[in-house]
Amino acid sequence: MNLLNTSISYNIDGTGNTSSVIAGIRGEVDGRLTVTANITIYPTDLAEGTTFDDLSKKQLFALATKKLPVALPKLSYSNYQFFVQNDTPVRLTAYSDLSDNGSYITLNSTLNQSDFTNKAIESVGYEDVKSAVKTILSQEFPTSSTEA
């Protein structure tokens, strides 16, 4: 997945020091997955002796993209919607989100029959959808945990 940096926001404390940074991230996989995220980077995410002021926009973005695959398996699925053609379900879109520890992630996944090898798309349920999305994410982020 090609990830783009959409924003960098600095949070400044009462003493004028940067207390955290929020990096905006967007990525898409061939119309199958779209991820939009605001990942918060905390001082504990930095190398010892490093401050936010020492880091470039590219370095901050790199830190945020390392945190994204760790957060993705924690997504909750708010709903999924079938798309029907000639009275037959042909695909579905699953909507997932996460608000955890200052990070906000939205993942929209478009799935079709090829994502469900052991059952017809019209009979898939919540666990089937989670499993299919997990499979795609493990392909896009192979080093990440794929715990559902």
Side-chain angles (χ1 to χ4, degrees):
M1 177 180 295
N2 186 25
L3 298 174
L4 302 172
N5 182 213
T6 59
S7 65
I8 298 284
S9 299
Y10 293 83
N11 295 311
I12 311 295
D13 66 19
T15 62
N17 295 313
T18 305
S19 57
S20 63
V21 171
I22 301 171
I25 298 173
R26 185 176 192 295
E28 187 171 347
V29 178
D30 301 323
R32 291 183 41 83
L33 292 176
T34 303
V35 64
T36 306
N38 288 318
I39 303 293
T40 302
I41 305 163
Y42 296 100
T44 55
D45 297 319
L46 305 179
E48 189 173 332
T50 304
T51 69
F52 288 110
D53 297 333
D54 297 328
L55 302 175
S56 69
K57 176 181 77 167
K58 285 182 181 182
Q59 291 168 311
L60 292 168
F61 178 64
L63 285 171
T65 57
K66 285 181 184 177
K67 290 182 79 169
L68 182 62
V70 175
L72 286 172
K74 300 175 187 174
L75 289 169
S76 63
Y77 293 80
S78 53
N79 68 38
Y80 55 95
Q81 175 180 7
F82 285 96
F83 292 88
V84 177
Q85 185 175 30
N86 297 327
D87 293 328
T88 304
V90 292
R91 70 181 187 279
L92 66 88
T93 299
Y95 303 95
S96 315
D97 55 47
L98 172 72
S99 175
D100 180 46
N101 199 23
S103 294
Y104 303 93
I105 301 170
T106 300
L107 176 70
N108 295 336
S109 312
T110 300
L111 308 170
N112 59 39
Q113 182 61 60
S114 67
D115 295 301
F116 307 102
T117 56
N118 59 348
K119 72 171 53 170
I121 193 169
E122 60 267 15
S123 64
V124 300
Y126 180 75
E127 292 301 321
D128 301 311
V129 170
K130 281 178 49 176
S131 178
V133 173
K134 178 176 137 179
T135 298
I136 296 168
L137 288 174
S138 68
Q139 292 167 353
E140 293 302 317
F141 299 99
T143 59
S144 70
S145 166
T146 54
E147 179 182 314

